[in-house]
Amino acid sequence: MKKGRLFVVSGPSGCGKGTILQEILQDPDLYFSVSATTRQMRPGEVDGVNYRFLSNEKFEELIAEDGFLEYAGYCDHYYGTLRQPVEEHLQAGQNVILEIEVVGAKKIREKCPDAIFLFIMPPSLSELERRLRKRGTETEEVVQQRVSQAAREIQCADSYDYVVVNAELEQAVAEVHAILHSETCKNQNKKEIIREVLKK
Ligand code: 5GP
């Protein structure tokens, strides 16, 4: 059976990747990997939907059991991709999306060289700061921490296969759609149909 493809999406906090992915995930053929984290739940977030919110102790237990495909520390908290659901969906032929930061993405690149890497970035750091403040879910100190973190992350954009600048939401969504489409049209994903058509 044909395995699904793994898409890895990164981008600084507040760049709009969550909103873009919400649009993209209307496609029932895509499976969004719900990460585990030790950070506090934000208003409106639901355990098991946005993240699996775990204690430090539970997270470290899962690390010890090799339960993560990758994990990383980010702004004083753990974030990690749960291995089992991702592997199951890929095996079942479904395309899987991971939304993870740059350190975790690098680990995935080493383990899964066939994965496709997309970086989403804001049009400027001042626009990012404005969006983070408008979200109103973080203290001023955390906003500043995340803007500095964003600058460091954007330096990694170079190692991604695709870069989407989210200046205008509709355009950014269209670009991500186009990337997913073109990837599924690649020769390597059409071998089965080529064989089928040539069958006598
Ligand atoms: P936030 O706290 O804003 O939801 O996420 C902070 C950062 O953690 C974001 O850059 C997000 O992409 C990243 N992140 C979310 N889930 C994971 C994960 O499973 N692994 C890694 N390495 N990063 C993650």
Side-chain angles (χ1 to χ4, degrees):
M1 197 197 209
K2 193 167 122 351
K3 269 185 77 179
R5 306 218 64 195
L6 185 60
F7 292 92
V8 178
V9 177
S10 301
S13 178
C15 74
K17 61 187 183 303
T19 316
I20 294 171
L21 287 181
Q22 251 174 31
E23 295 290 322
I24 298 296
L25 289 162
Q26 303 290 332
D27 178 350
D29 285 341
L30 286 171
Y31 168 76
F32 177 72
S33 156
V34 178
S35 295
T37 185
T38 56
R39 83 144 159 76
Q40 290 279 316
M41 201 187 288
R42 293 187 190 127
E45 286 185 326
V46 178
D47 188 23
V49 174
N50 305 91
Y51 283 104
R52 283 188 57 198
F53 294 93
L54 305 180
S55 64
N56 248 33
E57 199 181 26
K58 179 71 195 160
F59 200 102
E60 285 171 357
E61 235 174 77
L62 280 168
I63 295 175
E65 291 166 10
D66 199 25
F68 292 109
L69 201 54
E70 63 72 38
Y71 69 92
Y74 182 89
C75 294
D76 304 329
H77 295 289
Y78 280 130
Y79 291 81
T81 303
L82 293 157
R83 178 189 297 281
Q84 196 185 343
V86 170
E87 289 184 345
E88 281 175 3
H89 282 84
L90 289 174
Q91 281 303 336
Q94 208 171 6
N95 290 335
V96 173
I97 296 205
L98 307 185
E99 192 255 274
I100 64 179
E101 52 64 73
V102 294
V103 176
K106 204 167 161 210
K107 292 181 192 162
I108 297 286
R109 179 157 324 255
E110 285 155 18
K111 284 189 183 167
C112 318
D114 290 342
I116 298 118
F117 293 80
L118 279 78
F119 193 86
I120 300 178
M121 56 181 280
S124 67
L125 286 179
S126 53
E127 174 58 16
L128 182 80
E129 189 170 340
R130 195 190 67 77
R131 289 181 194 170
L132 282 171
R133 255 204 210 103
K134 194 168 149 221
R135 187 156 85 180
T137 50
E138 269 90 18
T139 60
E140 183 56 30
E141 190 193 342
V142 174
V143 168
Q144 291 310 326
Q145 192 186 22
R146 293 207 166 203
V147 172
S148 322
Q149 177 72 23
R152 287 192 291 274
E153 286 176 72
I154 292 168
Q155 287 172 13
C156 300
D158 228 20
S159 62
Y160 281 68
D161 301 313
Y162 297 95
V163 176
V164 171
V165 178
N166 182 20
E168 208 266 308
L169 181 65
E170 220 170 284
Q171 172 70 19
V173 169
E175 286 180 20
V176 175
H177 264 305
I179 293 164
L180 299 189
H181 276 307
S182 64
E183 281 296 331
T184 49
C185 289
K186 271 192 169 161
N187 181 9
Q188 71 198 81
N189 299 311
K190 299 290 176 188
K191 298 220 183 296
E192 228 167 280
I193 181 80
I194 294 171
R195 247 196 323 271
E196 204 51 39
V197 167
L198 290 176
K199 235 194 229 165
K200 289 237 170 82

